[in-house]
Amino acid sequence: MNARVTVVGEALVDLLWRSGARDVHAAPGGSPANVAVGLQRLERPVTLLTTWGDDPPGALVRAHLADTGLDVRRVPADSDRTIVALAYLGADGAATYDFLAAWSPRDLTVPEDTAVLHTGSLAVVIEPGASRVLDLCRAQRGAGRTVAADLNVRPAVQPDRDAYRALCLRLAGAVDVVKASDEDLAWLWPGRRPAEAARALLAEGPSLVVVTLGGEGAFAVTAGEEVRVAAPAVEVVDTIGAGDTFQAALLDAIVAHGGPPAGREALAEVLTRCATAAAITCTRRGADPPTRADLTFV
């Protein structure tokens, strides 16, 4: 249980605007930060490398991360702005986003006991930080660490579909595990089946590609396998943080297996646990991932 996951990416403030509401609620979050919290809930040693500005949103981020008890390393950055996301929540609990974004970390040094490096979302799209994170992924993979990425596609920060697809393929070539949602893949490869798009990512070099399907579950592809699992039926409050919870459970499993899980039985077991963790988050308001105890019997 002592091997560490280091998460590199944004911590930000979500301005949550629910359908029909008159008021907007400010909530600290960000996909990488949520993943780190999810790992901590699973009792996995985790370090978050991130940035925020000395501005009002940054004060909210700083206080939130302090409250979590996470090992957080605020790295120097070119910009003194905190990322702000406007999240529009529909009646079904699904969210769409727009961003005021700045991501420019300068010193990305991972702890020596890191077993797995994770990144994704805005951190692999917004320059100049995206190129710096990509260099880190390549270096850490070259040093023998497992590297994972969650595409978490956000067209609001890169509306050029061809450019975004090229970026994701380049990232896939620098990591061992890629996670994406079916919605991510549908935007990147319109008209292609999720499994076909997943194979396109797999062809770039990772050993495992995992695709989440919302309420339909998830599937994984490797060079020799394709494994699909169903999701538990739950009453959805909202979907915020569900994908990040899934990713935290996946990273925890990667550490436990000593690398990306392989073989039908192992993959099915891991995917089922990840889908269950995500489903639990969907029954709660906001990004509120389960604890290890919540998943004891999964």
Side-chain angles (χ1 to χ4, degrees):
M1 285 296 296
N2 292 326
R4 180 175 303 277
V5 178
T6 295
V7 178
V8 179
E10 71 274 4
L12 51 75
V13 171
D14 285 312
L15 300 180
L16 305 177
W17 197 331
R18 295 185 179 274
S19 178
R22 297 176 62 89
D23 298 323
V24 177
H25 174 65
S31 175
N34 291 342
V35 170
V37 171
L39 283 161
Q40 184 189 50
R41 297 272 182 95
L42 295 176
E43 301 175 20
R44 173 64 57 191
V46 56
T47 295
L48 174 65
L49 304 183
T50 191
T51 69
W52 61 83
D54 292 319
D55 51 17
L60 190 59
V61 166
R62 181 173 60 250
H64 166 67
L65 293 178
D67 287 344
T68 66
L70 279 171
D71 177 27
V72 178
R73 303 190 183 184
R74 183 188 183 189
V75 300
D78 300 340
S79 170
D80 191 37
R81 285 176 50 201
T82 304
I83 299 174
V84 175
L86 183 56
Y88 301 99
L89 301 177
D92 62 353
T96 57
Y97 294 88
D98 201 359
F99 299 92
L100 297 173
W103 172 247
S104 55
R106 289 200 304 265
D107 182 16
L108 296 171
T109 302
V110 306
E112 287 297 323
D113 62 342
T114 297
V116 176
L117 176 74
H118 165 72
T119 190
S121 195
L122 304 184
V124 296
V125 180
I126 299 170
E127 295 291 0
S131 292
R132 298 168 187 173
V133 171
L134 185 67
D135 288 344
L136 178 69
C137 290
R138 289 170 172 157
Q140 293 301 304
R141 194 183 191 197
R145 292 185 170 110
T146 299
V147 181
D150 181 0
L151 299 187
N152 199 27
V153 171
R154 296 296 185 228
V157 298
Q158 174 50 280
D160 185 323
R161 197 186 312 268
D162 291 339
Y164 212 138
R165 186 188 309 115
L167 181 156
C168 291
L169 291 170
R170 182 180 66 171
L171 177 65
V175 304
D176 302 288
V177 179
V178 176
K179 189 204 113 188
S181 70
D182 55 348
E183 292 180 348
D184 292 337
L185 299 182
W187 190 85
L188 290 168
W189 283 279
R192 295 185 72 172
R193 294 187 303 110
E196 293 177 3
R199 291 286 176 187
L201 290 166
L202 193 71
E204 296 301 311
S207 60
L208 175 64
V209 176
V210 175
V211 180
T212 57
L213 305 169
E216 300 301 313
F219 71 88
V221 294
T222 67
E225 300 281 2
E226 181 173 331
V227 179
R228 185 177 297 254
V229 302
V234 296
E235 185 173 342
V236 175
V237 174
D238 67 44
T239 63
I240 293 175
D244 301 327
T245 295
F246 187 105
Q247 183 70 8
L250 179 60
L251 293 167
D252 184 58
I254 290 170
V255 178
H257 282 78
R264 296 190 66 82
E265 185 175 343
L267 283 168
E269 180 181 347
V270 167
L271 291 179
T272 298
R273 188 169 187 269
C274 294
T276 301
I280 291 171
T281 298
C282 289
T283 67
R284 304 169 175 179
R285 188 175 296 276
D288 185 6
T291 65
R292 181 168 291 275
D294 292 330
L295 295 175
T296 297
F297 299 106
V298 177

